[in-house]
Amino acid sequence: MRILIADDEIMSRKLLQKTLERAGYEVTAVENGRLAAERLCPADGPRLALLDWVMPELDGPGVCREVRGRKEQSYVYMVLLTSKESKEDVVAGLESGADDYLTKPFDPEELKARLRTGLRILSLEDRLVEAREEMRFQATHDGLTALWNRAVIMDLLGRELARSRREHVSTSIIMCDLDHFKSVNDTYGHLAGDDILKETAKRLLSSVRSYDLVGRYGGEEFLVVLNNCNPAYALARAEQICKTIAHKPAQTSSGTVPITMSLGLLISQEWDCLPLEELLQHADEALYAAKAAGRNCVKIASPKISSADSESQARVPARLRR
């Protein structure tokens, strides 16, 4: 564990440094509070600190206040070293943000025991942060594919549409559905179906830019959002996604399984400011048109034919909606 010590007395600083190095710490030693704050505040700075109370430029409590003011960094465990012994001083030191308080002269073994307490607290804090991040991931991502879940991808799409309207650019919405997925589950089993869903997610992510959005919409349906996508290239990009999905069979627990996907493309610039739900409905209609056209292809949602598509959709056999 890296530790910072700050003391303006050179002999005290060197003695403390040797003591801690013998105990196995990687020590950074500075001679004033300003340097201590500069070393502790960066995200990659030491997370243990021994601070003398009285120092030039910035005293120990001042260092504590400055470090605690940096909300984005990992927690730093700070111990004040001082000859002050009054209760008022102890309270002032702890209220500045210090975690512990040790009066001079101190016993080296007591110091090391206090630091071990700090290490336990830092370890606990790391585990809590890890658990919080895991809970956040589980709340926003699909458990099987690790893509954005439906609620999040819908929220992100809504935000992206609002931004594209403000900036007068276009967003492409692609509704994607694996072909004959029910037959895959029936023939190869649900574990193989899960393998195909995970492989499809990987292929979708590999087909888009890092700032595009991919989410699992439900079952074997996926939603792809191409941010700030030039309408002239939207169809070509959707067709490339289609080819990427089908370019080779997927490896599953039951062997290799060929997969294809049908896509419905909607280019936001071609539509009025319709609610998100209506845009998705039109993208879904284009997806069904791709199913009816033989699958493994892309169809574009067009405002000019959307009403006709809505009427014909009622006549599309149920088998084409899978």
Side-chain angles (χ1 to χ4, degrees), residues 144-194:
L144 179 65
T145 64
L147 297 175
W148 295 118
N149 63 29
R150 178 168 179 153
V152 173
I153 192 66
M154 291 281 283
D155 178 66
L156 294 173
L157 173 56
R159 294 171 185 267
E160 183 57 29
L161 286 172
R163 185 194 66 80
S164 65
R165 288 163 182 164
R166 288 194 309 269
E167 300 178 4
H168 306 289
V169 295
S170 183
T171 294
S172 292
I173 303 172
I174 307 176
M175 190 70 75
C176 313
D177 187 88
L178 283 167
D179 296 326
H180 302 297
F181 188 70
K182 183 178 183 302
S183 297
V184 170
N185 279 332
D186 292 343
T187 304
Y188 298 96
H190 287 277
L191 290 179
D194 288 348

Side-chain angles (χ1 to χ4, degrees), residues 288-295 297 299 320:
Y288 290 145
K291 295 283 189 182
R295 299 182 174 87
C297 64
K299 291 296 180 180
L320 294 178

Side-chain angles (χ1 to χ4, degrees), residues 105-146:
F106 51 81
D107 179 73
E109 294 305 315
E110 181 183 1
L111 171 62
K112 287 184 278 188
R114 300 285 185 98
L115 291 178
R116 285 194 292 271
T117 299
L119 289 174
R120 289 194 296 271
I121 291 175
L122 290 177
S123 177
L124 176 61
E125 199 260 350
D126 288 344
R127 292 199 297 271
L128 289 173
V129 169
E130 184 178 347
R132 182 189 65 196
E133 292 304 314
E134 179 64 23
M135 291 176 62
R136 180 180 300 171
F137 185 88
Q138 292 176 359
T140 57
H141 290 73
D142 174 62
L144 179 65
T145 64

Side-chain angles (χ1 to χ4, degrees), residues 22-250:
R22 284 196 295 267
Y25 291 93
E26 179 183 339
V27 181
T28 298
V30 297
E31 64 271 17
N32 64 64
R34 176 53 56 195
L35 289 175
E38 290 175 358
R39 298 290 182 89
L40 292 173
C41 284
D44 61 347
R47 298 184 61 198
L48 275 176
L50 293 174
L51 307 170
D52 192 29
W53 186 301
V54 179
M55 291 186 291
E57 300 192 34
L58 192 65
D59 62 11
V63 174
C64 294
R65 284 189 289 270
E66 191 159 327
V67 171
R68 295 291 180 241
R70 295 292 191 93
K71 302 295 184 183
E72 72 279 3
Q73 70 178 49
S74 299
Y75 193 78
V76 179
Y77 190 90
M78 294 179 287
V79 180
L80 284 175
L81 304 175
T82 182
S83 57
K84 299 176 182 287
E85 297 182 355
S86 69
K87 290 184 178 180
E88 292 78 7
D89 290 327
V90 172
V91 170
L94 295 176
E95 286 188 343
S96 72
D99 297 281
D100 204 351
Y101 186 97
L102 202 56
T103 56
K104 298 178 179 179
F106 51 81
D107 179 73
E109 294 305 315
E110 181 183 1
L111 171 62
K112 287 184 278 188
R114 300 285 185 98
L115 291 178
R116 285 194 292 271
T117 299
L119 289 174
R120 289 194 296 271
I121 291 175
L122 290 177
S123 177
L124 176 61
E125 199 260 350
D126 288 344
R127 292 199 297 271
L128 289 173
V129 169
E130 184 178 347
R132 182 189 65 196
E133 292 304 314
E134 179 64 23
M135 291 176 62
R136 180 180 300 171
F137 185 88
Q138 292 176 359
T140 57
H141 290 73
D142 174 62
L144 179 65
T145 64
L147 297 175
W148 295 118
N149 63 29
R150 178 168 179 153
V152 173
I153 192 66
M154 291 281 283
D155 178 66
L156 294 173
L157 173 56
R159 294 171 185 267
E160 183 57 29
L161 286 172
R163 185 194 66 80
S164 65
R165 288 163 182 164
R166 288 194 309 269
E167 300 178 4
H168 306 289
V169 295
S170 183
T171 294
S172 292
I173 303 172
I174 307 176
M175 190 70 75
C176 313
D177 187 88
L178 283 167
D179 296 326
H180 302 297
F181 188 70
K182 183 178 183 302
S183 297
V184 170
N185 279 332
D186 292 343
T187 304
Y188 298 96
H190 287 277
L191 290 179
D194 288 348
D195 292 336
I196 288 175
L197 290 172
K198 289 185 282 189
E199 177 61 23
T200 299
K202 293 178 183 178
R203 295 184 187 185
L204 286 173
L205 287 173
S206 71
S207 303
V208 300
R209 301 164 298 186
S210 60
Y211 51 87
D212 291 326
L213 307 171
V214 181
R216 188 178 180 191
Y217 194 67
E220 67 271 26
E221 282 191 300
F222 299 84
L223 187 60
V224 176
V225 181
L226 305 179
N227 302 321
N228 195 15
C229 179
N230 188 326
Y233 305 123
L235 178 58
R237 293 193 59 193
E239 289 177 337
Q240 183 57 50
I241 292 173
C242 197
K243 291 178 181 177
T244 299
I245 296 299
H247 83 284
K248 66 178 181 179

